[in-house]
């Protein structure tokens, strides 16, 4: 989205809604949950999730967290699968431009609040930024233990053998740990946490990240957090250590070799290209003169 | 027959004191007390509804009794009340010192993961983080319970009933427990499979020096495995004694009825 369209939206802040859509009572309730979440890293704090003007699964949890922490001076960036120009990202950005009148941006380093779905930006974050994740299923043990009461007990007792069993099973069936997204992590040596469906490529960025990381699950009514500079360890076995994805190729547009690449099918004859999933990172590299073609 | 004397252990590993459990108007277990010594196999027999499974569940810590205590003597000689322990310690004890073999292996197994993962689960819960070692233990234990180790990566659903029961036993014994509860371990198996499983159980119990509480309605199984028998009727213990003594010379009227009901082959 161009800067012009964003400022246009901001100029047309809608009447009749509270700042950032949610009423102040709700925001206070969510902020209390956020404080608790930050105080107990990785712990899923229940909160009274509200109906939002978009369907569950589209980021209702992330939107509520963003609405609660947003101030008039903030600059918001929203990404979906790393891109600023996808439907979900464009609409959520427009939503806050209209209801809060905040400045929006696509540039990672200009943003003070970044709401994300499925990615952590490639550009390193700073301690002046907050990263808000949209989370579909906050419970990392959900597919292993269906009873909520029991999963809470397992978290309370730190009984995480079950998670290790699922990793064992992966290696037994596939020869490697086959989880490629939502790869379970242990926060600060305590709770095991679902990092939301980010690729495991992004897991190392969770570790000791200077930015505050907040996770909101609207349908499941849970909030959790990773405070700045907190240890986040991806689970693994001693003889099958955690590893991230690698590509044999560089980004076809900017030539980056250090970013997460999306595979794009270009024709019906098997043609494909790999390009950065982080659109801002890719654009900036190209503006700086890098081209994939030159490599 | 006094296995405990042979092992030089004079203290019971498990003491059950005045245990009662009521479901509505039904008194399922009525003031039951007994001691179990290390290396001893105690059989609890009785007809369906006599309260033996409820007793086992209460003793195994799966169901809280209304009154009474279940005292377990841990590896260091300390007595702990299984029902007074904090949840975390109780669960830990269940992963390390205790085992539970259920009648239906589907209740005791994790059906969604492979045989190897089932056996390795306790090890992983205890903090083992080396895939190769865990897999090797699973492999060894499958061999030990006479399941072809080539089935290591098969889900339990693809194993026969007898093999599932063996798998459940391996899964329990992998952490080298001291006390194992068994609820009709050979129930639902055909006789030849049953015979081989009994052989295996007898071997393992002797070899590992396990103390076992065995619930069964099958007096044949009780005679083969148990050192001592406890006959239950309507929630009460009507007779206890050495297995051969109870089966060959039953004293209580109900025991006599039970023994005389065995179908001759």
């Amino acid at each position: 989205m161009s800067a012009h369209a964003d400022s246009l939206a901001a100029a047309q802040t809608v009447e009749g809604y509270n700042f950032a859509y949610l009423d102040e009572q709700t925001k206070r309730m969510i902020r209390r949950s956020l404080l608790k979440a930050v105080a107990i890293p990785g712990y899923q704090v229940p909160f009274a999730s509200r109906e939002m003007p978009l369907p569950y699964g589209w980021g209702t949890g992330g939107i509520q967290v963003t609405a609660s922490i947003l101030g008039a001076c903030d600059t918001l960036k929203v990404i979906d699968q790393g891109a600023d120009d996808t439907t979900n990202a464009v609409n959520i950005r427009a939503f806050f431009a209209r209801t809060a009148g905040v400045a929006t941006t696509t540039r990672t380093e200009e943003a003070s609040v970044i709401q994300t779905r499925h990615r952590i930006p490639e550009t390193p974050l700073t301690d002046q930024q907050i990263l808000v994740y949209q989370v579909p299923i906050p419970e990392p043990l959900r597919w292993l233990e269906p009873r909520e009461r029991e999963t809470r007990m397992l978290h309370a007792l730190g009984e995480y053998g079950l998670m290790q069993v699922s990793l064992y099973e992966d290696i037994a069936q596939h020869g490697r740990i086959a989880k490629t997204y939502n790869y379970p992590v242990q926060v600060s040596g305590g709770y095991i946490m679902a990092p939301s469906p980010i690729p495991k490529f992004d897991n190392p960025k969770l570790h000791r990240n200077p930015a505050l990381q907040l996770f909101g699950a609207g349908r499941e009514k849970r909030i959790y957090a990773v405070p700045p500079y907190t240890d986040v360890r991806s689970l693994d076995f001693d003889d099958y250590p955690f590893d991230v994805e690698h590509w044999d190729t560089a980004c076809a547009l900017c030539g980056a070799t250090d970013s997460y690449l999306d595979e794009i099918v270009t024709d019906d004859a098997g043609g494909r290209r790999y390009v950065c999933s982080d659109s801002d990172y890719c654009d900036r590299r190209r503006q700086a003169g890098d081209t994939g073609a030159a490599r | 027959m006094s296995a405990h004397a042979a092992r030089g252990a004079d203290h019971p590993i498990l003491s059950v004191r005045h245990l009662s459990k009521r479901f509505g108007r039904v008194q399922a277990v009525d003031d039951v007390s007994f001691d179990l010594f290390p290396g001893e196999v105690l059989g609890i027999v009785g007809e369906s509804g006599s309260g033996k499974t409820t007793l086992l569940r209460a003793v195994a810590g799966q169901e809280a009794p209304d009154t009474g205590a279940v005292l377990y003597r841990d590896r260091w000689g300390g007595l702990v009340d299984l029902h007074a322990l904090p949840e975390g310690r109780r669960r830990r004890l269940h992963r390390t010192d205790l085992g539970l073999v259920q009648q239906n292996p589907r209740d005791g197994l994790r059906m969604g993961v492979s045989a190897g993962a089932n056996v390795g689960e306790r090890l992983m819960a205890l903090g083992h983080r080396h895939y190769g070692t865990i897999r090797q233990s699973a492999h060894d234990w499958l061999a030990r319970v006479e399941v072809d180790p080539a089935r290591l990566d098969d889900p339990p659903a693809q194993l026969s009933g007898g093999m599932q029961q063996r798998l459940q036993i391996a899964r329990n014994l992998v952490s080298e427990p001291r006390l194992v509860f068994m609820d009709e371990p050979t129930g639902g198996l055909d006789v030849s499979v049953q015979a081989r499983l009994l052989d295996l159980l007898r071997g393992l119990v002797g070899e590992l020096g396990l103390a076992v509480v065995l619930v069964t309605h099958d007096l044949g199984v009780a005679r083969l495995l148990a050192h001592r028998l406890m006959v239950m009727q309507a929630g009460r213990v009507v007779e206890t004694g050495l297995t051969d003594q109870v089966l060959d010379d039953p004293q209580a009227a109900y025991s006599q009825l039970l023994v005389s009901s065995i179908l001759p082959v």
Side-chain angles (χ1 to χ4, degrees):
Chain A
M1 183 183 270
S2 71
H4 174 68
D6 271 354
S7 60
L8 201 66
Q12 297 169 338
T13 305
V14 288
E15 293 288 319
Y17 286 101
N18 190 30
F19 177 78
Y21 185 78
L22 288 177
D23 61 278
E24 293 303 313
Q25 279 299 100
T26 300
K27 289 190 205 168
R28 287 182 57 161
M29 174 272 292
I30 293 174
R31 285 176 201 143
R32 278 198 296 271
S33 299
L34 287 170
L35 286 175
K36 182 168 180 180
V38 172
I40 319 172
Y43 173 68
Q44 299 167 47
V45 183
F47 79 111
S49 176
R50 298 289 192 254
E51 289 292 326
M52 295 302 284
L54 78 167
Y56 287 131
W58 285 53
T60 52
I63 280 197
Q64 291 180 72
V65 171
T66 302
S68 311
I69 59 172
L70 217 52
C73 305
D74 272 316
T75 306
L76 179 69
K77 170 183 163 84
V78 184
I79 50 175
D80 172 9
Q81 307 271 8
D84 294 274
D85 52 3
T86 46
T87 313
N88 198 290
V90 169
N91 283 310
I92 292 175
R93 194 166 49 220
F95 175 81
F96 282 116
R98 289 180 65 206
T99 58
V102 293
T104 60
T105 182
T106 58
R107 296 195 158 193
T108 302
E109 64 272 29
E110 284 175 6
S112 55
V113 176
I114 303 172
Q115 182 173 332
T116 178
R117 170 175 180 265
H118 290 198
R119 277 312 306 281
I120 298 175
E122 307 288 0
T123 312
L125 303 176
T126 69
D127 56 8
Q128 299 301 307
Q129 294 176 306
I130 300 178
L131 190 57
V132 177
Y133 296 78
Q134 300 168 201
V135 182
I137 297 170
E139 178 52 73
L141 302 168
R142 178 55 65 237
W143 302 119
L144 309 166
E145 172 53 64
R147 293 166 294 177
E148 175 70 15
R149 188 173 176 275
E150 179 69 8
T151 53
R152 284 197 209 185
M153 182 64 83
L154 294 177
H155 281 297
L157 299 174
E159 217 177 86
Y160 291 130
L162 197 55
M163 187 52 91
Q164 212 70 27
V165 169
S166 84
L167 300 183
Y168 171 98
E169 191 63 10
D170 264 6
I171 300 175
Q173 302 299 334
H174 308 291
R176 64 193 164 81
I177 297 175
K179 289 175 182 48
T180 53
Y181 66 97
N182 210 356
Y183 192 103
V185 294
Q186 187 165 34
V187 184
S188 191
Y191 289 105
I192 282 186
M193 181 188 96
S196 86
I198 59 172
K200 67 176 178 178
F201 180 86
D202 285 343
N203 270 23
K205 296 182 201 160
L206 291 161
H207 180 60
R208 294 187 165 271
N209 197 316
L212 171 62
Q213 303 175 75
L214 305 174
F215 298 77
R219 176 174 41 205
E220 304 284 328
K221 302 179 171 53
R222 293 289 184 277
I223 282 173
Y224 51 102
V226 176
Y229 303 107
T230 303
D231 284 343
V232 179
R233 190 180 65 83
S234 303
L235 300 183
D236 58 4
F237 282 100
D238 295 346
D239 46 346
Y240 283 84
F242 174 78
D243 193 20
V244 298
E245 297 95 329
H246 297 284
W247 289 266
D248 299 333
T249 173
C251 170
L253 299 176
C254 75
T257 52
D258 56 353
S259 79
Y260 187 82
L261 300 181
D262 282 339
E263 180 181 0
I264 298 186
V265 176
T266 50
D267 53 34
D268 289 342
R272 60 199 58 203
R273 297 208 297 173
Y274 289 88
V275 299
C276 292
S277 98
D278 186 335
S279 58
D280 173 56
Y281 184 73
C282 198
D283 287 349
R284 304 290 293 287
R285 279 179 55 87
R286 276 186 288 166
Q287 281 166 19
D290 263 316
T291 56
R295 284 161 192 254
Chain B
M1 190 48 94
S2 57
H4 62 278
R7 306 192 133 260
D10 349 317
H11 294 296
I13 187 170
L14 184 75
S15 296
V16 174
R17 290 287 170 265
H18 306 294
L19 203 72
S20 293
K21 175 80 184 174
R22 170 183 282 279
F23 295 111
R25 283 177 298 140
V26 181
Q27 186 74 46
V29 175
D30 190 3
D31 193 28
V32 171
S33 300
F34 66 86
D35 284 328
L36 181 72
F37 290 86
E40 189 185 33
V41 180
L42 173 71
I44 302 176
V45 296
E47 61 189 11
S48 299
S50 59
K52 50 191 197 306
T53 294
T54 305
L55 174 63
L56 187 83
R57 286 180 58 83
V59 171
Q62 288 207 309
E63 192 139 25
D66 297 336
T67 56
V70 179
L71 302 170
Y72 169 73
R73 190 175 300 276
D74 64 23
R75 285 170 204 263
W76 302 276
L79 267 187
V80 290
D81 184 341
L82 286 183
H83 290 287
L85 276 183
E87 178 81 9
R89 272 194 67 197
R90 200 169 61 79
R91 284 179 178 236
R92 190 169 177 78
L93 210 54
H94 275 270
R95 286 201 300 269
T96 53
D97 286 21
L98 310 179
L100 175 64
V101 177
Q102 315 225 40
Q103 174 172 10
N104 186 348
R106 285 170 178 269
D107 297 336
L109 291 174
R110 206 170 277 290
M111 297 305 284
V113 297
S114 66
N118 266 288
V119 180
E121 180 172 347
R122 275 191 178 212
L123 297 178
M124 288 183 258
L126 291 173
H128 288 234
R129 291 293 178 266
H130 193 281
Y131 176 81
T133 330
I134 295 166
R135 196 171 169 78
Q136 188 58 45
S137 313
H139 182 279
D140 294 347
W141 267 102
L142 281 192
R144 219 160 151 186
V145 297
E146 295 161 21
V147 173
D148 182 2
R151 310 295 299 265
L152 199 58
D153 293 332
D154 290 351
Q158 286 179 16
L159 303 179
S160 70
M163 284 198 270
Q164 287 181 10
Q165 200 56 286
R166 285 158 192 274
L167 181 60
Q168 201 194 166
I169 290 163
R171 169 183 160 85
N172 272 287
L173 296 187
V174 68
S175 66
E176 296 173 10
R178 303 168 65 223
L179 172 58
V180 177
F181 304 101
M182 297 188 187
D183 188 3
E184 308 274 11
T186 59
L189 301 176
D190 68 53
V191 280
S192 60
V193 175
Q194 212 178 70
R196 265 183 292 152
L197 188 64
L198 284 173
D199 257 2
L200 174 75
L201 275 178
R202 225 148 78 118
L204 285 175
V205 165
E207 199 178 313
L208 303 171
L210 293 175
V212 177
V213 179
L214 168 77
V215 160
T216 182
H217 65 269
D218 187 334
L219 296 180
V221 170
R223 191 192 280 276
L224 265 176
L225 285 180
H227 301 138
R228 225 157 31 97
L229 275 193
M230 224 166 79
V231 184
M232 285 190 74
Q233 183 194 17
R236 294 187 146 272
V237 176
V238 294
E239 183 168 356
T240 57
L242 297 180
T243 303
D244 295 342
Q245 187 188 326
V246 172
L247 292 183
D248 296 338
D249 182 19
Q251 302 295 311
Y254 177 73
S255 311
Q256 292 171 358
L257 181 73
L258 205 63
V259 170
S260 65
S261 313
I262 302 176
L263 292 178
V265 181

